[in-house]
Amino acid sequence: MIYPLVSTQMVAPTYFATGNWARRARFKSLLIKAAGVISLSVAVVSQSLAAEGKRVTITGEMIDTWCYVSQIMGSSAVVTGTAHHVCAVWCAAGGIPVGLLDKKDNKVYMVLSFEGDDTSVANAKILNLQSHELTVKGTVFELDGLSYLNIDEVIADNGIVNLTHEKFGIVPGDARP
Amino acid sequence: MANKIKLTNRFIRSLFLPLIASAVITGCATPAGEVDVWPITNAEKSGLTGQVVDVLCELNGNCADNCGEGTRQLGIKTEAGGTVLVAKNLSNYSGAAEELWNYCGEVVEVNGLFTEHQGVRFFQAQNVRAPDGQWQKATRFLDVWTERTGKPASLAKNWQYHDEVVNEIIERDGRLGLGPEADQDYFESQ
């Protein structure tokens, strides 16, 4: 929603005091044009931000976003780490978006590219890093409420450190031998 | 304490697995075009009409032919202007790229469920209506998997057990991801 910088309530009473309908029409037209210019500017700025992205360094776990967000197999805590490793591999191999779960604030970044490879469906390198805790450098783009991440470089791979199986067992049960 | 945790685990499994199984089975039984409500967080039955887009291309102009032909995450750019990430299809453990890329750049209709948690909101497509107007269940992934692997179509429904790439990773890293020895210790103790 774009709001005009000057409200009609502030300006209109004196401007329309004469009852000049031609002026009123011109004023309305001016407002519509102003709103259009502002909308266009906002759109251009948004597009520009989306195109440039923001450089970041993030430490977090590579997760299966479907199970984490939908919680179809239990709470988000259950569907991370060792308890959910097999399912995380299945889902990544099946093409579900992989996410990086920021260790700092549990924010989920949807991974769209990895070290120059723009394959984000069943990417072989990513498959082999499911459930790992990584520190990465990359670029974050915001689009319609989601945060997307292009991983440029893995600075550290700490392996799998989230030992959730100790608390939750293996989820789902058919991931057991 | 340990017993309590094990009981809790059994409870979680006994509670959720039948729900998931029934959702998938019901989903397969539901006629094309109809949406089945899965037991997921903040499930919202919805339909979207819009252009099939490559999300990376939308973000920074890094575009590929035919939206990457199944190699990139795709979305629906709706008439209202927002791009919705389609993260899931109707088959087990699989995403939506194979369901959509054939319509790259075209306007399609999809229906299914939104799910949302911790500020992340995306879509599960259950059906896709092509420009010719026919609803198709969003299970094309299974056909593509069968064709790609050369395995019998009868295995596709539970493709995750039969996928060689997946099985190599599990064999190498173990089901916990900590190596085969850690698996052996853990599963023998169960």
Side-chain angles (χ1 to χ4, degrees):
Chain A
M1 179 80 183
I2 302 297
Y3 297 96
L5 295 176
V6 181
S7 84
T8 50
Q9 284 182 340
M10 288 163 64
V11 178
T14 50
Y15 195 82
F16 295 139
T18 58
N20 185 331
W21 289 103
R23 275 188 176 183
R24 189 169 184 167
R26 278 202 302 276
F27 182 77
K28 201 173 173 182
S29 163
L30 185 69
L31 276 184
I32 290 167
K33 283 176 186 166
V37 168
I38 292 167
S39 302
L40 190 63
S41 306
V42 168
V44 168
V45 169
S46 302
Q47 190 62 41
S48 168
L49 286 176
E52 288 176 11
K54 182 184 172 192
R55 296 284 299 158
V56 292
T57 300
I58 301 171
T59 296
E61 181 183 328
M62 298 289 272
I63 61 163
D64 154 22
T65 59
W66 167 251
C67 289
Y68 187 86
V69 172
S70 74
Q71 301 186 95
I72 192 166
M73 295 182 186
S75 76
S76 295
V78 174
V79 293
T80 57
T82 48
H84 197 65
H85 177 66
V86 169
C87 189
V89 173
W90 286 346
C91 289
I96 289 171
V98 168
L100 186 68
L101 178 65
D102 194 329
K103 192 177 178 179
K104 186 175 78 248
D105 56 10
N106 280 344
K107 182 168 180 174
V108 177
Y109 295 88
M110 317 297 294
V111 176
L112 288 185
S113 77
F114 189 84
E115 295 186 326
D117 182 353
D118 298 325
T119 303
S120 52
V121 170
N123 178 305
K125 282 187 183 172
I126 293 177
L127 276 179
N128 285 288
L129 291 171
Q130 280 298 74
S131 318
H132 284 223
E133 182 182 277
L134 305 179
T135 299
V136 304
K137 279 189 175 178
T139 309
V140 169
F141 299 89
E142 304 286 343
L143 182 65
D144 296 320
L146 289 184
S147 298
Y148 295 94
L149 173 65
N150 288 346
I151 295 177
D152 297 330
E153 181 188 1
V154 175
I155 297 171
D157 177 0
N158 299 325
I160 299 178
V161 297
N162 190 9
L163 306 181
T164 48
H165 72 287
E166 293 174 353
K167 190 172 179 183
F168 303 115
I170 304 295
V171 181
D174 66 342
R176 296 173 65 86
Chain B
M1 183 65 180
N3 283 340
K4 192 176 176 185
I5 289 169
K6 278 185 183 173
L7 280 173
T8 309
N9 293 342
R10 284 193 198 112
F11 174 72
I12 289 170
R13 282 198 290 268
S14 65
L15 184 68
F16 284 101
L17 288 181
L19 283 175
I20 296 161
S22 66
V24 172
I25 290 164
T26 312
C28 292
T30 305
E34 291 186 16
V35 176
D36 187 44
V37 178
W38 290 23
I40 57 179
T41 303
N42 294 318
E44 181 190 331
K45 212 168 168 176
S46 189
L48 301 171
T49 300
Q51 187 184 22
V52 174
V53 294
D54 164 5
V55 177
L56 192 58
C57 178
E58 285 291 299
L59 287 172
N60 64 1
N62 176 348
C63 309
D65 289 345
N66 296 323
C67 294
E69 301 188 346
T71 64
R72 290 177 169 216
Q73 298 301 333
L74 305 182
I76 300 291
K77 192 171 188 177
T78 64
E79 289 167 341
T83 299
V84 175
L85 174 67
V86 185
K88 182 78 181 78
N89 68 355
L90 193 56
S91 316
N92 286 342
Y93 307 105
S94 45
E98 289 294 353
E99 315 301 331
L100 296 175
W101 77 260
N102 276 313
Y103 307 116
C104 180
E106 294 180 40
V107 172
V108 297
E109 191 177 352
V110 297
N111 65 23
L113 300 172
F114 274 105
T115 182
E116 182 176 8
H117 178 57
Q118 287 181 201
V120 179
R121 186 171 191 256
F122 53 46
F123 197 70
Q124 178 217 20
Q126 294 193 8
N127 300 282
V128 180
R129 196 190 323 238
D132 66 5
Q134 297 297 313
W135 279 115
Q136 300 288 331
K137 284 196 171 197
T139 56
R140 185 174 180 273
F141 169 85
L142 302 179
D143 298 331
V144 173
W145 182 85
T146 303
E147 192 178 337
R148 178 165 49 83
T149 60
K151 291 186 183 289
S154 58
L155 299 181
K157 188 178 172 190
N158 290 310
W159 69 273
Q160 73 276 7
Y161 301 143
H162 310 288
D163 189 274
E164 283 168 16
V165 174
V166 164
N167 288 339
E168 272 177 29
I169 293 172
I170 293 173
E171 193 175 332
R172 186 195 65 212
D173 296 342
R175 288 173 185 270
L176 301 171
L178 304 173
E181 286 180 12
D183 264 25
Q184 197 174 350
D185 292 346
Y186 175 70
F187 290 113
E188 278 182 7
S189 71
Q190 294 296 294

